[in-house]
Amino acid sequence: MIKGPKGIRDILPEEIPNWHHMEACIRETMRRFNYKEIRFPTFEETELFTRSIGVTTDIVEKQMYTFQDAGKRSLTLIPEGTASVVRAYIEHGMAKKSPYVKLYYISRMYRYESPQAGRYRQHSQFGIEAIGSDRPAQDVEVIQILLETLKTLGLKQVELKVNSIGCFDDRMKYTSMLRDYLRPRLDKLCKDCQRRFDSNPLRSLDCKKEQCIKETENAPRTVDHMCSDCTRHFDTVKEYLSLLGMEYIVDPRLVRGLDYYTRTVFEAVSTVLGGQDSLGGGGRYDRLVEELGGEPTPAAGFAAGMERILLAMEKEKVGAKSYPPVDLFIAVLGEKAQVEGMRLATSIRAQGISCHMDIVGRSLKAQMRQADKMGARKVLIIGEDELKNGKAQLKTLETGAQTEVSLSSSEEISKEVKK
Ligand code: HAM
């Protein structure tokens, strides 16, 4: 037997109503904030990710699904959406049509990670990218959209963590300061952090290994070493958050795992999930558009993991959805009844009613059992007598009440089913 690849999940029919519910909440939030949907491809040129996410990040170093196509191009299954949105923004000259664009997406992402609850090799994200504003209010709107969506889904146990990593110049200075701090502690850090000490020491701040958390406990904080513009920007973001009643925690260790960030970074964390508790995260990325070949353009965005959100919803016992029951089950006995049933089902469905008909040739008893099991609201039985008389009984399963209907009038049947 061939099984699905390690780290991927099938989303089975019984889980789908929860997905539909979540997708509807996302689209509704985006409508309220006036963000427009963009759909990008499943794979991109590999260079798009090495240039944007950064060559010394976990994603680019070890997690990308990279392959060569028949034309010997190096392609990569998208590990995230920001790079693709910015690529599309530049490629389609969106800035010429409007200097400010607000986009959202819902898409599958691919990362070769060690699978565990809430961490998969194929996962789904929804996210937004607002391109064109450098205002602190933009950072706040982005955070607000993430929190609003989680709230609409009924999640309450969510904590907002924010930090600022300053502008590019601040980061350069800070990185060298952090290196000085880490140098005497280097042999106590994990192998990955030791290896990235020269190229990207910031990574050790969000390393989850016990020894690295301990060694970086008293490391200098980015927020204490920013230029006055960046400090003012972050202060304004915090003021807005308070003004709008969004509680937050400043987390000096929050630097995020992708290199394109500048200034504000944030994460919404579930307090009911164990290990993989980050529901969504993002921040400002003021240099990325330019780095990918566009005009210098400020931007901010976030992405959230949809499987994790569903896990948190399950833990918080909110929003468990199921399919609505089928309106009508047509049980048929014999060939002729099946033909009549098909004819009736066709016109009844055309009137907007959901209708299930037995086309497996089961006994009447088995069909009734099935109607019961699927929770059908009404059942119509068509056998030889019904065909002869042109009349049949429409039964309400819950009460057992029966109404006689004429088989020649699908309108009459539909009307009765709707009652
Ligand atoms: P990220 O933090 O790498 O950010 O991913 C966003 C969210 O996707 C995470 O918070 C998590 O909920 C979910 N996620 C990530 N990896 C996995 C996985 N292997 N399995 C399940 N869920 C996962 C980004 O991707 C940025 N593009 C966000 C952004 C948008 N920044 C600015 N704009």
Side-chain angles (χ1 to χ4, degrees), residues 80 82 111 113 118 120 125 129 256 260-261 278-279 301 305:
E80 62 107 49
T82 312
R111 298 183 188 181
E113 298 198 69
Y120 313 102
Q125 289 185 2
E129 312 298 345
R256 310 266 305 131
Y260 47 63
Y261 291 110
S278 170
L279 297 179

Side-chain angles (χ1 to χ4, degrees), residues 58-284:
D58 276 351
I59 296 182
V60 171
E61 272 186 345
K62 356 181 205 185
Q63 297 173 354
M64 295 210 301
Y65 281 93
T66 297
F67 60 98
Q68 227 178 42
D69 72 1
K72 302 235 179 314
R73 288 173 205 92
S74 177
L75 301 171
T76 294
L77 298 184
I78 52 168
E80 62 107 49
T82 312
S84 295
V85 173
V86 171
R87 195 246 331 122
Y89 169 85
I90 300 168
E91 188 172 334
H92 301 289
M94 289 189 205
K96 288 189 205 96
K97 289 177 212 143
S98 163
Y100 178 51
V101 295
K102 306 200 294 185
L103 302 167
Y104 82 92
Y105 49 88
I106 299 178
S107 176
R108 291 253 167 98
M109 306 292 169
Y110 307 85
R111 298 183 188 181
Y112 187 83
E113 298 198 69
S114 359
Q116 62 179 85
R119 191 164 71 194
Y120 313 102
R121 292 185 174 170
Q122 174 185 276
H123 69 280
S124 307
Q125 289 185 2
F126 77 93
I128 67 166
E129 312 298 345
I131 309 179
S133 170
D134 62 359
R135 299 293 171 96
Q138 181 64 73
D139 313 28
V140 175
E141 184 185 82
V142 167
I143 295 173
Q144 195 180 24
I145 295 175
L146 172 58
L147 297 186
E148 263 302 302
T149 317
L150 299 177
K151 195 169 122 194
T152 315
L153 287 165
L155 291 174
K156 292 202 175 73
Q157 311 297 326
V158 178
E159 239 168 43
L160 170 65
K161 293 184 179 172
V162 295
N163 192 23
S164 177
I165 54 171
C167 56
F168 182 72
D169 289 346
D170 290 344
R171 204 162 71 218
M172 289 294 107
K173 283 187 210 136
Y174 173 79
T175 303
S176 116
M177 197 182 306
L178 182 65
R179 230 181 248 122
D180 291 344
Y181 173 85
L182 292 175
R183 196 168 286 113
R185 298 166 172 85
L186 200 53
D187 56 341
K188 300 208 181 76
L189 299 181
C190 75
K191 286 274 169 294
D192 272 347
C193 288
Q194 288 186 15
R195 186 171 47 80
R196 290 185 296 216
F197 172 75
D198 283 320
S199 56
N200 200 347
L202 249 72
R203 289 278 77 79
S204 55
L205 290 181
D206 68 359
C207 180
K208 302 285 179 284
K209 303 235 171 61
E210 203 56 55
Q211 77 241 53
C212 301
I213 294 176
K214 192 161 161 256
E215 289 309 315
T216 54
E217 220 161 38
N218 299 313
R221 294 154 27 119
T222 49
V223 282
D224 296 331
H225 303 279
M226 300 194 302
C227 64
S228 56
D229 278 355
C230 287
T231 305
R232 204 172 317 120
H233 186 99
F234 192 45
D235 285 345
T236 315
V237 168
K238 288 184 291 181
E239 273 164 34
Y240 264 110
L241 289 175
S242 305
L243 192 82
L244 296 169
M246 288 186 263
E247 282 175 31
Y248 63 87
I249 299 163
V250 177
D251 180 355
R253 295 178 58 86
L254 183 67
V255 288
R256 310 266 305 131
L258 305 101
D259 276 357
Y260 47 63
Y261 291 110
T262 50
R263 293 190 162 173
T264 316
V265 287
F266 62 90
E267 257 172 40
V269 177
S270 164
T271 53
V272 292
L273 290 180
Q276 301 303 314
D277 60 358
S278 170
L279 297 179
R284 184 162 274 292

